[in-house]
C-alpha cells in the first residue's frame, strides 16, 4: 500500500510540473520597462529573504541529524544557556537583510510610483525631451473598458494599442463600481474608481499582443472584463489609428448612454470621433444630460453653498441615477435591460437610489478645502 502511495505522489508531482509548464508566466517575463523593474524587485526581495531562509532550513535538518538520540558521539550539554558569538550571528544576519529590504523598498516605492513620469525607455535608453508621450484616458464600465485617445480623436472598447518604445500616460476612472486596470506585461495594476482619477506611466518595449483585464471583482460580468493590448511599431500603430477612424462611428451622447449600460463580453469596437470633454464629464459623474458635475458642486460648496430653492435644485441635479448593479452584484434589470430580461435578481434588494427614503433626508455636505471646518451645504441647511 505504501508503495502505491509513493507512486501516486510521484505521478501527482510530475503532472503538476507539466501543468506549470503550460502557464504563461508573464509577470516574470514582461515586455514593458516598468513591469521589468517590478519583476526585478520581486527577484531581489526573494533572494534577500532566501539568504536567511535557506540556512535556517539547512540547520534544522543538520541539528535533527547531528543531535539525534542514537548519536552518542554528539555533545550533550543540558546546562548550556548562552553564546555571545551565536547571538551575534542570529540577530545580525536578519538585521542586515531587513535593512537591505527596507532600502530597496524605499527606493523602488519612489522610483516605481505610477504617478511619476517616466525618465527612461529601458535600462539603456533615457527619454529624450523631444519625445511626445501617448495620452490614453481609461474608463472602467460594467463590464467593459472604454479607451479615449484625446490627441488622436479616436476611442475604442476592449482594445488598446500603443507604439513600441513610446511613453504612455494613462488617466484612469470608472463609471460605477471600483475596478483595477491591469496589463501584466506592461506595468502593475492601478485602481479605477468612480469620481476619482488615478494615473499610470508606462512603456511597452516589445511588439506583441498582450492580455489586459480587471483585477478587482466588480459583479457578474467581471470574468469577461478583458481586452487586448497591442504593442505595435509606429507604422503599424498609424495603420491601427486609421482603421479606427475609417471603421468607427461617432461616440455621441446617445451612443455613450447605450454603451454605459451593463453588458458582458463585448467585442472590440471603434469610435472615429467623440466629445473631448466626455472623459471629464465621466470623471465628475455628469455624463448623463441634466446632471450637475461634482466639480461644480464642490466649487459652490467651497464658496459657502447656495441657500434656498436654488440649493435644493442643485442637490437634485447632483443625485446620480440608480446604481448599475445591486449590493449582490446583480444588474438592476428594470433600469438597464428592460423589465422582461432574465438577468434580473428578483430576490435581492436593489441598491439605494436618489428616490429612496433612506437618501431623501441626507444633506449634501460641502467640502472645505482648507481643512478647518465643513462648509455650508448647498441646500442652505
Amino acid at each position: 500500500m505504501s508503495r502505491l502511495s509513493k507512486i501516486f505522489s510521484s505521478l501527482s508531482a510530475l503532472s503538476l510540473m507539466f501543468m506549470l509548464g503550460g502557464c504563461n508566466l508573464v509577470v516574470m517575463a514582461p515586455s514593458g520597462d516598468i513591469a521589468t523593474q517590478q519583476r526585478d524587485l520581486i527577484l531581489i526581495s526573494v533572494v534577500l529573504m532566501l539568504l536567511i531562509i535557506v540556512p535556517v532550513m539547512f540547520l534544522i535538518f543538520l541539528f535533527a541529524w547531528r543531535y539525534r538520540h542514537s548519536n552518542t558521539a554528539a555533545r550533550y550539554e543540558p546546562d548550556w544557556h548562552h553564546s555571545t558569538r551565536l547571538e551575534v550571528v542570529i540577530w545580525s544576519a536578519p538585521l542586515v537583510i531587513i535593512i537591505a529590504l527596507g532600502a530597496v523598498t524605499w527606493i523602488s516605492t519612489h522610483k516605481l510610483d505610477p504617478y511619476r513620469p517616466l525618465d527612461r525607455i529601458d535600462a539603456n535608453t533615457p527619454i529624450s525631451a523631444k519625445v511626445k508621450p501617448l495620452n490614453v484616458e481609461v474608463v472602467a464600465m460594467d463590464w467593459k473598458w472604454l479607451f479615449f485617445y484625446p490627441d488622436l480623436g479616436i476611442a475604442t472598447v476592449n482594445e488598446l494599442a500603443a507604439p513600441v518604445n513610446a511613453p504612455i500616460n494613462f488617466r484612469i476612472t470608472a463609471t460605477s463600481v471600483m475596478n483595477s486596470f491591469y496589463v501584466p506585461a506592461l506595468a502593475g495594476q492601478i485602481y479605477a474608481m468612480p469620481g476619482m482619477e488615478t494615473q499610470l506611466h508606462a512603456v511597452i518595449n516589445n511588439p506583441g499582443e498582450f492580455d489586459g483585464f480587471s483585477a478587482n471583482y466588480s459583479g457578474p460580468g467581471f470574468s469577461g472584463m478583458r481586452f487586448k493590448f497591442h504593442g505595435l511599431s509606429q507604422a503599424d500603430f498609424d495603420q491601427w489609428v486609421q482603421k479606427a477612424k475609417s471603421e468607427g462611428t461617432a461616440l455621441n451622447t446617445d451612443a455613450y448612454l447605450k454603451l454605459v449600460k451593463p453588458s458582458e463580453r463585448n467585442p472590440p469596437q471603434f469610435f472615429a470621433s467623440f466629445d473631448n470633454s466626455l472623459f471629464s464629464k465621466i470623471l465628475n459623474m455628469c455624463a448623463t444630460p441634466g446632471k450637475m458635475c461634482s466639480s461644480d458642486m464642490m466649487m459652490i460648496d467651497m464658496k459657502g453653498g447656495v441657500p434656498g430653492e436654488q440649493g435644493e435644485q442643485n442637490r437634485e441635479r447632483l443625485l446620480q441615477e440608480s446604481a448599475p448593479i445591486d449590493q449582490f452584484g446583480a444588474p438592476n434589470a428594470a433600469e438597464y435591460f428592460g423589465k422582461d430580461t432574465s438577468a434580473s435578481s428578483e430576490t435581492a434588494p436593489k441598491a439605494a437610489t436618489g428616490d429612496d427614503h433612506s437618501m431623501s433626508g441626507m444633506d449634501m455636505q460641502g467640502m472645505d478645502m482648507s481643512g478647518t471646518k465643513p462648509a455650508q451645504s448647498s441646500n442652505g441647511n
Side-chain angles (χ1 to χ4, degrees), residues 298-314:
M298 285 190 288
M299 184 63 67
I300 292 173
D301 286 338
M302 288 174 63
K303 295 179 179 179
V306 179
E309 184 177 353
Q310 183 177 354
E312 183 64 26
Q313 292 175 353
N314 288 342

Side-chain angles (χ1 to χ4, degrees), residues 324-352:
I325 60 175
D326 61 26
Q327 61 179 318
F328 293 94
N332 283 342
E335 296 290 337
Y336 290 90
F337 294 108
K339 295 182 178 180
D340 297 331
T341 182
S342 60
S344 63
S345 176
E346 298 178 358
T347 57
K350 303 303 179 184

Side-chain angles (χ1 to χ4, degrees), residues 176 291 319-325 332 335-336 350-354:
S176 58
K291 301 292 182 182
L319 292 176
Q320 298 296 304
E321 60 192 15
S322 59
I325 60 175
N332 283 342
E335 296 290 337
Y336 290 90
K350 303 303 179 184
T353 68

Side-chain angles (χ1 to χ4, degrees), residues 4-200:
L4 290 176
S5 178
K6 291 180 180 180
I7 294 175
F8 179 77
S9 300
S10 300
L11 291 176
S12 299
L14 187 61
S15 61
L16 181 61
M17 292 177 61
F18 278 113
M19 287 189 291
L20 291 176
C23 292
N24 183 11
L25 301 178
V26 62
V27 174
M28 304 309 295
S31 299
D33 183 59
I34 295 297
T36 300
Q37 294 181 67
Q38 292 172 336
R39 185 271 315 273
D40 294 343
L41 177 60
I42 294 173
L43 295 177
I44 292 172
S45 301
V46 170
V47 170
L48 286 173
M49 289 183 286
L50 287 178
L51 289 178
I52 195 67
I53 293 174
V54 171
V56 167
M57 298 301 295
F58 173 76
L59 290 173
I60 288 175
F61 290 102
L62 176 63
F63 291 166
W65 172 258
R66 181 176 178 81
Y67 298 102
R68 66 193 186 277
H69 180 70
S70 60
N71 186 12
T72 57
R75 294 172 59 185
Y76 177 65
E77 300 181 13
D79 298 327
W80 182 90
H81 63 89
H82 179 72
S83 171
T84 302
R85 183 168 55 183
L86 187 60
E87 290 284 348
V88 171
V89 173
I90 289 175
W91 291 106
S92 61
L95 181 61
V96 170
I97 292 174
I98 290 173
I99 293 174
L101 281 173
V104 170
T105 301
W106 174 267
I107 295 171
S108 61
T109 298
H110 293 83
K111 188 177 181 181
L112 298 177
D113 182 357
Y115 284 72
R116 182 175 181 265
L118 300 182
D119 56 7
R120 71 183 204 183
I121 297 297
D122 54 43
N124 302 315
T125 310
I127 289 183
S128 171
K130 299 180 180 180
V131 174
K132 184 179 180 181
L134 176 67
N135 296 309
V136 181
E137 296 167 340
V138 182
V139 180
M141 295 180 163
D142 297 321
W143 288 274
K144 50 193 168 288
W145 293 93
L146 173 62
F147 303 105
F148 295 110
Y149 289 80
D151 300 331
L152 303 176
I154 63 171
T156 63
V157 173
N158 286 346
E159 185 165 317
L160 181 64
V164 171
N165 294 329
I168 314 170
N169 297 343
F170 292 101
R171 298 175 61 196
I172 307 169
T173 190
T175 56
S176 58
V177 298
M178 183 171 71
N179 278 280
S180 182
F181 176 74
Y182 190 27
V183 183
L186 182 68
Q189 58 177 306
I190 304 296
Y191 283 120
M193 297 169 282
M196 300 180 66
E197 176 185 337
T198 53
Q199 298 179 17
L200 174 64

Side-chain angles (χ1 to χ4, degrees), residues 213-257:
F213 53 89
S214 173
N216 190 80
Y217 180 74
S218 58
F222 161 77
S223 61
M225 196 172 174
R226 296 175 173 269
F227 62 92
K228 292 297 183 181
F229 172 65
H230 302 277
L232 305 172
S233 66
Q234 186 61 54
D236 290 339
F237 179 73
D238 292 339
Q239 292 181 3
W240 182 84
V241 173
Q242 290 301 319
K243 176 183 177 182
K245 290 182 177 181
S246 61
E247 298 181 2
T249 58
L251 183 59
N252 52 30
T253 301
D254 291 338
Y256 172 76
L257 294 179

